[in-house]
Amino acid sequence: MPNDNKNENDLLSIGEAHFNKGEYEEAIKVLSELVKLNPNNEEGLGLLGESYFRNGQCEEAKKIALKLTELNPNNYDGWASLGVSYFENGEYDKAIEYLLKAVELNPKDFEGWDWLGASYFENGDYDKAIEYLLKAIELTPNDNYVLYMLGYCYEEKRQYKE
């Protein structure tokens, strides 16, 4: 279905609908059209980047996240997406760099702290992992994954009482 007569809002709505149904390839097609119309549409770029990520196209997701941070250095989603993309590629030092910026911009976002703790964990820095995982637990006290990671960190440090 050609979207020749669609405006930015229409394309964003259609792209979002595909995204919400898990139709990431379709979302990418529609949101790419949106970004061609307006390369500075942060919402469209953010959803396009997340669509690429969920479709397993991490390099494309990174490019979009980088563009978001260039457009708006205060765009939490851009920094967080960069961090998660680098984490998924096993580049934990880079992930930490970007996730630190993300949590600085949005300290109330559980996922930023969670990913940051996981990045330090994967780097073997259990003290820092514990520090950031505890911040995640403050925001979402009963998250099983974070509680598991905390337990694993304490076990690695032989702090069995914690």
Side-chain angles (χ1 to χ4, degrees):
M1 166 175 83
N3 290 315
D4 297 340
N5 297 321
K6 305 269 187 251
N7 67 30
E8 286 182 52
N9 291 334
D10 292 338
L11 291 171
L12 184 60
S13 294
I14 294 166
E16 192 170 30
H18 285 299
F19 179 87
N20 289 335
K21 290 191 242 175
E23 299 169 350
Y24 303 120
E25 287 187 31
E26 288 301 313
I28 290 167
K29 288 177 192 172
V30 173
L31 294 166
S32 293
E33 287 183 49
L34 166 62
V35 171
K36 282 179 192 166
L37 279 177
N38 180 357
N40 298 327
N41 185 311
E42 288 184 46
E43 191 174 1
L45 282 166
L47 200 52
L48 178 59
E50 186 65 23
S51 298
Y52 277 127
F53 181 78
R54 294 202 184 177
N55 202 42
Q57 296 172 269
C58 284
E59 288 306 312
E60 290 301 317
K62 269 197 260 187
K63 289 176 191 173
I64 298 293
L66 190 56
K67 179 157 175 74
L68 275 171
T69 61
E70 290 169 355
L71 277 174
N72 179 358
N74 294 318
N75 186 304
Y76 166 81
D77 291 327
W79 294 108
S81 294
L82 277 171
V84 171
S85 293
Y86 279 106
F87 179 93
E88 292 295 331
N89 284 341
E91 297 177 64
Y92 305 117
D93 289 332
K94 282 289 229 185
I96 289 166
E97 175 186 342
Y98 294 116
L99 290 165
L100 283 169
K101 180 67 175 171
V103 297
E104 175 186 317
L105 290 170
N106 187 0
K108 299 286 184 199
D109 185 67
F110 159 80
E111 288 187 4
W113 296 111
D114 178 24
W115 282 104
L116 192 52
S119 298
Y120 277 109
F121 174 85
E122 293 295 338
N123 256 1
D125 187 341
Y126 301 115
D127 289 327
K128 283 286 191 189
I130 290 168
E131 176 184 344
Y132 293 116
L133 292 170
L134 286 173
K135 289 182 188 241
I137 285 295
E138 286 175 20
L139 296 169
T140 307
N142 297 317
D143 185 273
N144 289 330
Y145 174 76
V146 175
L147 291 169
Y148 167 79
M149 292 291 293
L150 271 170
Y152 198 91
C153 288
Y154 286 127
E155 181 181 355
E156 288 294 316
K157 291 177 55 65
R158 309 280 188 253
Q159 294 177 323
Y160 299 113
K161 290 184 181 184
E162 278 77 20

